[in-house]
């Protein structure tokens, strides 16, 4: 069975979860974005006492990962669905680590039938093919204001108004039904820089289709509200500033003793809310060697939080 996806920051993940809880006690590890099982396989191999529950909403990825990790038998379990929905149902006191790789896998990008890539004959971008909303519906039915919002907020595109107007005017003449047509349209009207001119537009559409930022925020909220044993860690791999900003803010808030609003003159919360600490002062990034072997790792950042300070 060939491996379709190289997990990013693999060594950094293994080292980040090399804790007494994982090494000596084992316990339960949650891989919130199982994908094709690369991170989970490495963790299971390195830490023989560990049990992993993998979550994913991509049935193709789950089928592959299940076969790939079946050799670990009772040490691996898989759950289908959004991690924000599955995580509360499987929560228990034995959790020693949680990992979320908030990105689209190479296989999803490269599979033209999934509609993520610029030359795809489809315009889909769904991670869960059972979801009703896809990129084609957004491009062809969203209002000018709605398109402006997603290109501004999720793509951080400087000319978001121009892009939204371009799409609305074009679809009056003909429907945009494939990713290749959309990327060609954008390429004709926007300057080519270091990245493809459609990159940020496709990012914005993908985030909207899959509610990626909402999922991340809900997962972090669950972790904030649950009790962790001392030494348990949460690691998040992000790929752009929108995701990293959410993680950075959440981890910073978890470090605060006082959670009173800034306008309050005197602390009334008890000043004892600190959950733990950021394990790294700055996020970990891919090495030059990894970037050379896997260019898509160049934007990956890993932040890790350790509970029970």
């Amino acid at each position: 069975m060939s491996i379709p996806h190289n997990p990013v920051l693999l060594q950094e993940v293994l080292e980040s979860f090399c804790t007494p809880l994982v090494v000596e006690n084992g316990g339960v590890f949650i891989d919130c974005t199982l994908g094709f099982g690369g991170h989970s396989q490495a963790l299971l191999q390195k830490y023989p006492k560990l049990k992993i529950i993998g979550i994913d909403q991509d049935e193709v990825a789950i089928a592959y990962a299940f076969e790939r990790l079946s050799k670990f038998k009772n040490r691996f379990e898989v759950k289908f669905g959004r991690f924000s929905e599955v995580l509360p149902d499987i929560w228990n006191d034995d959790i020693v680590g949680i990992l979320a790789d908030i990105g689209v896998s190479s296989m999803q990008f490269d599979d033209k039938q999934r509609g993520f890539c610029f030359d795809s004959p489809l315009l889909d971008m769904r991670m869960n093919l059972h979801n009703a909303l896809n990129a084609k519906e957004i491009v062809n039915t969203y209002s000018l204001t709605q398109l402006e919002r997603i290109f501004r907020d999720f793509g951080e595109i400087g000319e978001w108004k121009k892009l939204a107007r371009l799409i609305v005017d074009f679809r009056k003449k003909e429907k945009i039904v494939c990713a290749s047509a959309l990327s060609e349209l954008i390429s004709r009207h926007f300057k080519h820089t270091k990245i493809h001119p459609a990159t940020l537009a496709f990012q914005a559409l993908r985030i909207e289709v899959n509610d990626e930022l909402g999922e991340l925020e809900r997962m972090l909220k669950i972790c904030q509200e649950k009790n962790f044993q001392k030494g348990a860690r949460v690691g998040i791999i992000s790929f752009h500033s929108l995701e990293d900003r959410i993680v950075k803010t959440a981890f910073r808030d978890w470090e605060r003793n006082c959670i009173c609003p800034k306008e309050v003159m005197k602390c009334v919360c008890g000043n004892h809310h600190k959950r733990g600490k950021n394990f790294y002062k700055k996020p970990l990034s891919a090495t030059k060697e990894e970037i050379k072997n896997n260019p898509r790792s160049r934007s990956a950042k890993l932040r890790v939080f350790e509970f029970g300070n």
Side-chain angles (χ1 to χ4, degrees), residues 17 42 46 70 105 150 154 159 167 176 232 251 263:
F17 289 100
K46 188 173 180 64
S70 60
S105 74
I150 67 169
F154 298 158
E159 296 181 280
I167 290 173
I176 304 172
F251 285 6
E263 59 270 17

Side-chain angles (χ1 to χ4, degrees), residues 230-277:
K230 186 176 182 180
R233 293 178 183 174
V234 171
I236 312 288
I237 300 174
S238 62
F239 288 83
H240 53 75
S241 59
L242 294 170
E243 296 167 339
D244 185 57
R245 197 176 304 139
I246 292 172
V247 179
K248 181 180 179 180
T249 299
F251 285 6
R252 185 182 60 206
D253 289 345
W254 295 355
E255 283 188 310
R256 293 171 55 195
N257 267 322
C258 176
I259 59 173
C260 293
K262 292 182 179 179
E263 59 270 17
V264 175
M265 299 295 292
K266 183 179 179 181
C267 176
V268 294
C269 72
N271 199 35
H272 56 73
H273 295 277
K274 185 173 182 178
R275 303 293 309 280
K277 64 179 181 179

Side-chain angles (χ1 to χ4, degrees), residues 22-28 44 46-51 75:
V22 171
V23 176
E24 299 170 12
N25 301 338
V28 177
L44 287 165
K46 188 173 180 64
Y47 305 116
K49 293 184 178 181
L50 196 64
K51 177 184 177 181
R75 294 178 56 212

Side-chain angles (χ1 to χ4, degrees), residues 17 24 41 71 92 94 167 217 224 226 238 246 259 303:
F17 289 100
E24 299 170 12
Q41 182 182 47
K71 59 186 176 183
N92 64 68
D94 293 329
I167 290 173
E217 289 173 337
Q224 182 181 7
K226 297 293 185 179
S238 62
I246 292 172
I259 59 173
R303 293 184 184 273

